[in-house]
Amino acid sequence: MKKLWELFITFAKVGVMTFGGGYAMLPILQREIVDNKKWVTEEELMDYFAIGQCTPGIIAVNTATFVGKKIKGILGGIIATLGMVFPSLVIISLLAGVIETFSHIEWVQNAFGGIRICVCVLIINAVVKLYKKAAVDKITLVIFILVTLGSYFISVSPVIFVVAAAVIGIALKMWGGKKK
C-alpha cells in the first residue's frame, strides 16, 4: 500500500508541477522517476516515451502507466495514471469557468505567452538529454538524422516514424553485424 501511495504522490507531483502538456512533463518525469526514485533507467524511460507516443493518449500519462505497471503491476499502472491526471482534473475544473472570463485581459495573454516560451525551453532540454543517451553510435546517429529530416519534410503519424526507425535500426545492425 505504501508503494502505491508513493506512485500516486510522485505522479501527482509531476502532474501538478507541469504546464504545457505531455512533452513539457518529460524533463520532470526524468528527474523524478529516473534521478530521484530510480524506478527506471534513462533507456527504459526513452522506450516508454517512444511507446507512449505510438499509443492513444497523452505521452506523459502513458509513461506513468508503464512505470506504475513496472513497479506494482496493473494496480500500480492504474494508480500512477490516476496520480498523473488528478491534479489536472482538479485545476481544469476550477479554471474552466474563470478562464473564459479573463482570457481577453492583456496581462493574462502575456502570462500565457511567457508560459509557452518556457514550455518550449523545457521540451528542448528534454530532447537534448534524450538525444545524448539515444545517439550513441553511427547507426543511431543515421536514424536520428533520417527521422529528423523525414518528420520535417513528411507529414505522417509519429507511429510511422517509430516503426520505420525500428526497422531501420534492425536492418542497419544486421547489415553492420554481417560486415564484421
Side-chain angles (χ1 to χ4, degrees):
M1 192 67 177
K2 183 181 177 188
K3 185 60 84 172
L4 291 172
W5 181 246
E6 186 179 5
L7 278 167
F8 182 85
I9 293 299
T10 298
F11 285 103
K13 186 166 90 172
V14 171
V16 80
M17 306 258 315
T18 308
F19 296 88
Y23 289 109
M25 291 181 177
L26 300 183
I28 296 171
L29 275 169
Q30 183 176 22
R31 185 186 68 231
E32 286 301 315
I33 66 174
V34 174
D35 299 337
N36 294 348
K37 300 289 183 183
K38 303 199 184 323
W39 286 339
V40 297
T41 65
E42 287 203 29
E43 291 76 19
E44 288 174 311
L45 185 61
M46 285 190 293
D47 292 342
Y48 294 156
F49 288 165
I51 295 166
Q53 179 68 42
C54 298
T55 53
I58 299 168
I59 188 171
V61 174
N62 294 347
T63 301
T65 306
F66 294 137
V67 172
K69 180 166 184 324
K70 177 187 179 193
I71 301 304
K72 217 50 183 147
I74 292 173
L75 184 58
I78 292 168
I79 296 296
T81 302
L82 290 174
M84 181 66 86
V85 300
F86 181 74
S88 296
L89 289 174
V90 171
I91 292 168
I92 290 169
S93 296
L94 295 173
L95 290 178
V98 178
I99 269 298
E100 187 63 33
T101 305
F102 296 106
S103 65
H104 68 284
I105 298 173
E106 186 176 350
W107 70 266
V108 172
Q109 293 172 353
N110 293 339
F112 281 123
I115 290 169
R116 283 191 295 271
I117 292 299
C118 180
V119 167
C120 289
V121 171
L122 292 173
I123 292 169
I124 289 168
N125 287 339
V127 168
V128 168
K129 278 186 176 181
L130 291 171
Y131 169 79
K132 288 177 181 177
K133 294 286 183 175
V136 295
D137 56 22
K138 290 179 183 178
I139 291 172
T140 53
L141 180 61
V142 168
I143 293 170
F144 173 81
I145 292 168
L146 290 173
V147 172
T148 301
L149 291 172
S151 66
Y152 185 77
F153 291 110
I154 303 168
S155 179
V156 297
S157 168
V159 175
I160 301 298
F161 288 113
V162 172
V163 171
V167 170
I168 292 168
I170 292 167
L172 290 176
K173 287 284 186 181
M174 289 175 62
W175 179 63
K178 289 181 181 178
K179 285 178 70 176
K180 291 180 181 178

